[in-house]
Amino acid sequence: EAYAAIEQTARLGGVEERGIALSREIRDRVEATAARARARPPVPALFCVQLDPIVAAGAGTLPAEILELAGGRNVVTAARYPRIGIESVLAYAPEAIIVARMDAPDPAGPGRVLDYWKRWPSIPAVKSRRVHVIDASTALRAGPRVAEAVESLARLLHPELRDPAPAGRRP
C-alpha cells in the first residue's frame, strides 16, 4: 500500500516519474533486505506499540509485515492490535521484543521501557538483552521510510546483517 500511495501522491503533485522511481527504490531496498533475512532462521518476536496495557502488532498490520520482512516471526497471531497480558508474553517466549510506542513519548526515553521489561527476566528476549526501542515514525507509518524500518529491524533481529549501508543512504 505504501508503494501505491507514494506513486499516487507524486501523480497528483505532477511528478509521477519521480514517484515511480522512489517507489521502485524503496521496493528494491525492502526486497533486498528481506532476501538476506530469509537466509537466516526467523526470530520469534513480539512487536509492541503500547505498554501498560501491552498492545501488540498482530496479523494484518504494517508493523507485523515489517517484522516478518526483517526476518522475524510474529509471536502474536491475533489480528490487528490485540491487548495482551504478561502471561501471554511469558507463554510466547519471544527471543526479541520490539517496542515502537504509539502512545505519548516518554520523557525518560527508552530506559523506562527497558526497566518495564526487566521485571520478567525469564522472557528469553529480556534474558538475552534483546529488547529494542525503535523509532515509531518509521515503523508505524506506510511511507518512504518503510525501507529504513525494515533495514533497521533486520539488523536488530540478525546482528550479522550489520554491513555498511549502500553509498548515499543513511544507516
Side-chain angles (χ1 to χ4, degrees):
E1 292 175 10
Y3 308 130
I6 290 167
E7 291 174 15
Q8 176 154 356
T9 301
R11 188 172 28 261
L12 294 171
V15 289
E16 183 174 6
E17 291 305 314
R18 286 178 56 194
I20 291 169
L22 177 59
S23 177
R24 187 176 311 120
E25 176 191 347
I26 293 167
R27 185 186 317 264
D28 290 348
R29 287 174 60 193
V30 168
E31 288 176 3
T33 301
R36 290 174 53 223
R38 277 192 302 271
R40 284 135 179 95
V43 176
L46 171 68
F47 196 120
C48 294
V49 296
Q50 179 181 306
L51 301 175
D52 202 21
I54 299 169
V55 176
T61 64
L62 177 63
E65 185 175 355
I66 288 171
L67 176 66
E68 290 171 11
L69 287 166
R73 179 183 56 77
N74 195 351
V75 296
V76 176
T77 57
R80 307 287 305 146
Y81 294 94
R83 218 184 255 201
I84 60 174
I86 194 63
E87 300 82 7
S88 294
V89 177
L90 290 164
Y92 294 145
E95 292 178 18
I97 297 174
I98 309 301
V99 181
R101 295 180 58 187
M102 291 186 340
D103 53 352
D106 189 340
R112 189 177 314 261
V113 172
L114 300 175
D115 287 343
Y116 174 87
W117 288 105
K118 285 180 184 176
R119 297 184 287 172
W120 298 284
S122 64
I123 298 171
V126 176
K127 186 181 294 186
S128 63
R129 297 180 184 195
R130 293 190 71 192
V131 176
H132 306 285
V133 180
I134 64 170
D135 180 4
S137 66
T138 60
L140 302 177
R141 295 187 184 137
R145 294 180 66 195
V146 73
E148 184 181 326
V150 173
E151 292 164 347
S152 298
L153 193 51
R155 287 189 300 269
L156 291 174
L157 295 172
H158 299 284
E160 66 275 13
L161 296 179
R162 289 185 189 265
D163 63 348
R169 296 211 182 101
R170 294 181 302 184

